[in-house]
Amino acid sequence: MARNTARPLSPHLTIWRWGPHMLVSILHRGTGMALTIAGLFLLTWWLLAISGGAAGYRTFQDFIGWAPFGLPLIKIGLFLLTWSFFQHTASGIRHLIMDIGAGFELRTNKMMAYATLAASGLLTVIVWALLLTRAA
Amino acid sequence: MTGPKQLGRHDRNAVPEGKTALGKVRGLGSARHGGDHWIRERVSSAALLLLGAWFILSLLLLPDLSQATFREWLRSPLGFVPMALFVYLNFEHSLEGVKVIVDDYQGDEGGRMMWHIVSLFLHVGAGALALFALARIAFGAAS
């Protein structure tokens, strides 16, 4: 389907005043894609590694612990993935509430958007504090 | 005069040549199945809410993160069954989500079809691989 590029596009991101609802909506898609690509890849590899021999599991562990120049890149990625999981979950709950027709009042909507950001940040920090303070 | 039927010049229901009235409208309207995708995405999200909480809590509560511990956990019914559902629903929910994103950003009809098929193949392929791994853990020889 050819699009006539001479026709104007409707105004998009650039003309709106930024609000938390916009940020949360964009994050919902972004975190969803991160969970699809990185999350499902790691979930599949993790299960395959457990199902195989000790050497394969060690390869997986080495990958998770990969730290070029002392920087634990993959663990930082896992931290961000954990945050993606909680952010996507929290804004998913917000979407379910809005799907039943509730939470469209300006103040409530804004508060719910902020609440998803607070919840995801808090839960990510709690989970990683618990993970890091116990023996691996 | 040719055509399927003799029609007056101002007949509003005039049928174009070579096309029946049904052929003209077929494929233009809702097939009444459009809601199915929307509902599936939300039902899987509700299930994943529970399973996601179970997954995170399990990782925190297991005695350690060694291969032997994971094996023992996933060989038990309360490890295997929720994990099988968690894997299946994650792939289903992800497939539905990617569908929405492709529909939103890929304006070209052919490109849309191509990305839907690529996404379907990747999701089904990787999902089958993950379920195979889980089955091998649960039903394979104990180590």
Side-chain angles (χ1 to χ4, degrees):
Chain A
M1 194 168 57
R3 189 169 62 83
N4 182 357
T5 47
R7 288 175 64 83
L9 286 168
S10 60
H12 199 25
L13 287 178
T14 45
I15 69 155
W16 304 101
R17 186 158 55 87
W18 274 81
H21 49 287
M22 249 167 100
L23 175 68
V24 164
S25 172
I26 292 167
L27 283 178
H28 193 70
R29 293 215 155 168
T31 52
M33 280 312 285
L35 289 164
T36 284
I37 295 169
L40 292 186
F41 172 76
L42 283 174
L43 179 67
T44 305
W45 186 10
W46 176 64
L47 288 171
L48 274 172
I50 296 171
S51 78
Y57 192 74
R58 209 170 306 118
T59 309
F60 179 75
Q61 280 181 312
D62 287 346
F63 172 75
I64 299 295
W66 187 56
F69 309 108
L71 199 66
L73 277 187
I74 305 301
K75 282 194 176 155
I76 293 170
L78 274 178
F79 180 86
L80 291 174
L81 199 61
T82 311
W83 170 77
S84 294
F85 169 81
F86 283 124
Q87 180 58 39
H88 194 84
T89 301
S91 60
I93 294 172
R94 177 171 172 268
H95 273 290
L96 289 176
I97 293 171
M98 284 162 59
D99 285 342
I100 61 170
F104 282 94
E105 300 80 6
L106 288 181
R107 257 182 68 87
T108 316
N109 196 279
K110 206 171 175 178
M111 287 306 289
M112 281 205 305
Y114 276 128
T116 67
L117 295 170
S120 67
L122 197 67
L123 287 167
T124 306
V125 169
I126 290 175
V127 163
W128 274 80
L130 290 171
L131 270 179
L132 291 174
T133 50
R134 76 168 193 190
Chain B
M1 278 286 222
T2 56
K5 209 172 152 194
Q6 297 275 339
L7 294 162
R9 272 180 68 201
H10 301 292
D11 190 339
R12 289 175 60 217
N13 299 316
V15 175
E17 273 185 59
K19 242 186 173 184
T20 65
L22 180 63
K24 207 168 101 184
V25 297
R26 193 171 259 161
L28 290 179
S30 163
R32 295 188 183 269
H33 293 290
D36 179 55
H37 157 78
W38 192 88
I39 298 276
R40 275 227 306 262
E41 199 174 20
R42 271 133 194 96
V43 172
S44 58
S45 81
L48 282 170
L49 207 54
L50 299 172
L51 291 164
W54 164 83
F55 180 71
I56 298 274
L57 283 176
S58 298
L59 288 185
L60 290 174
L61 292 174
L62 282 172
D64 58 59
L65 302 180
S66 70
Q67 188 180 15
T69 304
F70 284 140
R71 269 177 172 277
E72 195 189 338
W73 172 48
L74 293 174
R75 286 174 79 89
S76 73
L78 288 179
F80 176 83
V81 173
M83 183 60 85
L85 294 173
F86 184 62
V87 168
Y88 177 81
L89 286 165
N90 261 319
F91 277 95
E92 148 126 34
H93 189 76
S94 169
L95 179 64
E96 301 284 335
V98 171
K99 221 179 259 173
V100 173
I101 291 185
V102 170
D103 282 342
D104 278 1
Y105 300 122
Q106 179 58 258
D108 180 72
E109 215 169 314
R112 209 151 53 217
M113 169 83 90
M114 185 199 77
W115 282 112
H116 282 322
I117 293 174
V118 167
S119 164
L120 180 68
F121 281 14
L122 284 175
H123 277 94
V124 172
L129 194 61
L131 286 176
F132 160 77
L134 188 59
R136 189 161 72 160
I137 296 167
F139 309 123
S143 62

